[in-house]
Amino acid sequence: MSEETAWETLLRLMPPTAASDTLVDWDQMRDAWDKEFPPDYRRFIGEYGAGTLEDYLVVLHPEPKGGRPKAELSGMLHETANAESAWAREPKSPELAGTAPELIAWGADAGSDILCWDASGDDPGTWPVLVRGRDSNLWRRYDCGMVEFLACVLRADLDQNPLGDLAPWGAQPATFLNEREEGRRLEQGLDPWTGEPDPYAGMYGD
């Protein structure tokens, strides 16, 4: 699937619910990580923003390496550290045997799966997706970018569900809420994911 076809598929299956709220200094990101980030991820952040898919899968906020984490228990820096620790101790699928990827996390979910790139290649547009499955404790590689990976998950177009829950698997249409939009719905007293009135909405926010 070409990058443009993957984009067309994702936009059809998961129309944006709000304009992106995520401002990123990509030059700072490049300098901090010593590499450009994949064009499809940059486009995703510009179109959707960082946020959550189907109340399950989080697309992480870009964070400069060596900088202050956006959140202590989540975010790109935290999940990358988790991924590196998990890689050192957990088994890999056969295609990953003997490899030494440079991991950068771009996603995580409520089942403790971690979604990364192998950022060791010179061309970020060709970085494959590596998924650490929490239930299986097994790493798998998907030879596609993050947008194509998400489109395949929403189409249930992989050999098996790579995640620990069926929430995003085959979800058509799917809902993605960026951080600001989810907060806006909570402030209105709504369940962000159903749109129904929720008397508890916003009670446990910051």
Side-chain angles (χ1 to χ4, degrees):
M1 187 186 302
S2 71
E3 181 180 330
E4 196 59 35
T5 300
W7 260 106
E8 293 170 355
T9 301
L10 188 66
L11 289 169
R12 175 173 55 82
L13 298 179
M14 191 176 75
T17 55
S20 173
D21 62 338
T22 307
L23 299 177
V24 185
D25 183 337
W26 291 110
D27 289 338
Q28 181 188 27
M29 288 288 290
R30 178 197 62 220
D31 293 344
W33 290 89
D34 195 28
K35 56 185 78 260
E36 297 281 1
F37 274 69
D40 63 339
Y41 174 69
R42 295 172 60 167
R43 187 174 176 181
F44 185 98
I45 294 297
E47 186 80 33
Y48 290 90
T52 306
L53 193 166
E54 289 295 302
D55 197 19
Y56 183 75
L57 172 61
V58 176
V59 175
L60 301 172
H61 195 289
E63 294 179 331
K65 188 176 184 179
R68 182 175 181 179
K70 184 175 183 291
E72 292 298 325
L73 298 178
S74 64
M76 180 173 282
L77 296 177
H78 179 82
E79 294 298 349
T80 296
N82 284 343
E84 290 170 344
S85 175
W87 179 269
R89 67 177 187 272
E90 293 175 354
K92 291 82 178 171
S93 55
E95 72 272 12
L96 289 171
T99 62
E102 182 178 351
L103 299 173
I104 301 178
W106 60 263
D109 64 34
S112 297
D113 305 310
I114 309 174
L115 296 85
C116 304
W117 295 288
D118 176 359
S120 57
D122 292 335
D123 180 1
T126 64
W127 291 352
V129 171
L130 304 186
V131 178
R132 180 260 193 169
R134 177 63 179 87
D135 289 346
S136 63
N137 284 332
L138 184 69
W139 285 88
R140 296 184 184 277
R141 185 180 72 205
Y142 298 88
D143 291 316
C144 60
M146 63 88 70
V147 164
E148 183 175 348
F149 177 84
L150 291 177
C152 286
V153 168
L154 297 182
R155 293 172 59 186
D157 193 19
L158 297 169
D159 291 342
Q160 61 185 21
N161 180 11
L163 307 177
D165 192 275
L166 292 175
W169 184 246
Q172 300 183 27
T175 300
F176 181 89
L177 299 181
N178 63 38
E179 295 164 353
R180 181 172 60 193
E181 178 62 14
E182 184 171 1
R184 185 189 69 80
R185 295 184 183 195
L186 286 169
E187 289 175 359
Q188 292 183 335
L190 302 175
D191 181 309
W193 299 98
T194 67
E196 298 295 325
D198 182 352
Y200 301 105
M203 286 184 63
Y204 305 104
D206 294 335

